[in-house]
Amino acid sequence: MIDFLSYGCIGVGIFFWFWGTFPLLGERSVLFKLHALSVSDTLGSMSITIGLLLQIPREWPLILLALISLAIWNTILGYVLAYCSTAQESHD
């Protein structure tokens, strides 16, 4: 059962990784594309990390540190992209 959940989380994470690349092909702004990519990359990476946690629970401190780092740095990246987006609009 744990293997099924683990592989499921890893599969969902890989799905989010690929799903986030599709907005790169669209006609929207670069900042929108980067935002969509960073959100899907964060969700995918966190899902894969949780899947790894289920596979190797003895490494939970290191994997927990990876989850916290992903959440903090990718959230900050999202705020920076949003700020750049609004700063660019106000200068035009």
Side-chain angles (χ1 to χ4, degrees):
M1 182 66 176
I2 296 295
D3 285 340
F4 178 73
L5 287 173
S6 173
Y7 293 140
C9 286
I10 292 171
V12 166
I14 291 171
F15 170 77
F16 274 123
W17 275 359
F18 285 113
W19 182 60
T21 59
F22 291 121
L24 295 176
L25 303 173
E27 297 294 325
R28 301 197 73 175
S29 72
V30 172
L31 293 172
F32 175 83
K33 292 176 184 181
L34 287 175
H35 173 71
L37 184 63
S38 69
V39 168
S40 65
D41 182 49
T42 301
L43 292 174
S45 297
M46 291 179 87
S47 178
I48 289 171
T49 307
I50 290 170
L52 290 174
L53 179 64
L54 294 172
Q55 283 289 319
I56 45 175
R58 67 182 178 280
E59 299 292 337
W60 73 267
L62 184 61
I63 294 175
L64 184 63
L65 180 63
L67 279 171
I68 292 169
S69 298
L70 280 169
I72 291 173
W73 287 111
N74 287 345
T75 302
I76 289 173
L77 176 64
Y79 282 121
V80 168
L81 288 173
Y83 177 77
C84 291
S85 169
T86 57
Q88 182 182 17
E89 290 173 6
S90 64
H91 291 302
D92 289 337

